[in-house]
Amino acid sequence: MSQLPPCPQCNSEYTYEDGVQLVCPECGHEWTEAEQAADEAGKVIRDANGNELQDGDTVTVIKDLKVKGSSLVVKVGTKVKNIRLVDGDHDIDCKIDGVGAMKLKSEFVKKA
């Protein structure tokens, strides 16, 4: 039996083929393998100004950001060095001086 990719919508492992389409029985999402390959190749993370971000870049925070579960605030203009891009809603992994390890959304930073 061939191994089919998990659903890109809900990550269900129970996908099946229906002709040329792949179908997820859990969420009902339908896609083709060509669409999935194009989506994965086209994943580019951009900052608030539309500049492409890469691992190791230095970025600047453009908005005061409250740290969830704490009274700390990351102030506007804070420079964050050596970012790491990850998948997910918060697509930047980094360490901020005085705050520690954090995840940021790319829409709240600009490339320095």
Side-chain angles (χ1 to χ4, degrees):
M1 184 173 167
S2 66
Q3 184 69 357
L4 295 174
C7 175
Q9 207 79 9
C10 68
N11 289 326
S12 170
E13 60 187 36
Y14 302 111
T15 58
Y16 64 90
E17 288 181 294
D18 185 18
V20 296
Q21 295 228 331
L22 296 171
V23 181
C24 175
E26 292 186 14
C27 70
H29 181 66
E30 297 179 357
W31 73 100
T32 63
E33 289 189 53
E35 288 174 355
Q36 186 175 10
D39 287 346
E40 289 175 2
K43 286 186 179 177
V44 176
I45 298 176
R46 299 188 181 276
D47 68 0
N49 295 333
N51 299 319
E52 186 176 335
L53 296 174
Q54 295 180 357
D55 286 343
D57 281 347
T58 299
V59 295
T60 305
V61 177
I62 62 168
K63 175 182 176 183
D64 282 349
L65 301 173
K66 295 179 183 177
V67 178
K68 194 171 188 177
S70 171
S71 62
L72 297 173
V73 175
V74 179
K75 296 287 188 180
V76 172
T78 302
K79 279 201 173 189
V80 182
K81 298 178 183 177
N82 199 20
I83 65 170
R84 192 171 60 111
L85 302 177
V86 294
D87 288 335
D89 186 30
H90 292 72
D91 42 18
I92 297 174
D93 243 354
C94 61
K95 284 187 180 178
I96 299 177
D97 293 337
V99 178
M102 282 192 68
K103 291 189 175 219
L104 299 172
K105 289 186 177 184
S106 58
E107 63 194 72
F108 299 123
V109 299
K110 67 179 181 179
K111 196 169 185 175

